[in-house]
Amino acid sequence: MNKEITLEIGQIVKALKGRDAGQYAVIVGIEDSRFVWIADGDKRKFDQAKKKNILHLEPQSFISSEVVNSLQESGRVTNGKLRFAVAKFMAEQSKANQKGD
C-alpha cells in the first residue's frame, strides 16, 4: 500500500539516507513527483540546495510560514530564515518531548 506523500515548500523534513541522514532541512523547491530541493541554511545553503528523492525523506508536520512567504514574494529565502525555521522546529520538538507526548 503506497500512500501518496504530499510535500510542500517550507515544510521541514528529516533526511533518512545519504551523508545528511538524521539532519533536518526545509523544502525550498519541488522538482517533480519524486524529487525536492532541500536546504538548512547552515551546512546546506539556499544557493546550494540539495536535490533529494522524497523516498529518502521523512516529512514533519511543521511548515515554516516565513520560508513560504519569502519564496512567494521574492523567489528566494535567506539562509538565516532557513536556520530559524529549523531551530524553531527543533525547539517545538523538544517541548513536545518534554511533555511526554
Side-chain angles (χ1 to χ4, degrees):
M1 194 168 122
N2 189 0
K3 69 176 171 59
E4 189 61 34
I5 306 168
T6 55
L7 296 170
E8 292 180 49
I9 287 183
Q11 188 169 10
I12 302 277
V13 291
K14 180 179 181 182
L16 301 174
K17 298 265 192 266
R19 69 169 61 173
D20 51 359
Q23 301 282 328
Y24 289 95
V26 185
I27 296 177
V28 294
I30 295 175
E31 178 83 4
D32 53 32
S33 61
R34 288 190 51 220
F35 292 97
V36 294
W37 294 90
I38 63 169
D40 65 6
D42 182 19
K43 289 186 246 354
R44 178 63 62 186
K45 305 280 194 251
F46 176 75
D47 293 328
Q48 298 289 311
K50 177 151 179 59
K51 187 177 178 183
K52 284 291 260 186
N53 185 324
I54 63 170
L55 298 175
H56 299 165
L57 297 172
E58 180 184 290
Q60 307 298 314
S61 58
F62 184 89
I63 295 175
S64 168
S65 55
E66 290 94 350
V67 173
V68 174
N69 293 341
S70 182
L71 283 165
Q72 282 173 344
E73 284 167 22
S74 62
R76 29 187 319 109
V77 62
T78 63
N79 291 311
K81 275 193 183 147
L82 292 172
R83 287 192 298 272
F84 176 76
V86 172
K88 191 170 161 188
F89 167 74
M90 297 299 274
E92 287 194 10
Q93 283 297 99
S94 64
K95 254 190 255 159
N97 291 342
Q98 283 167 359
K99 267 189 225 145
D101 244 0

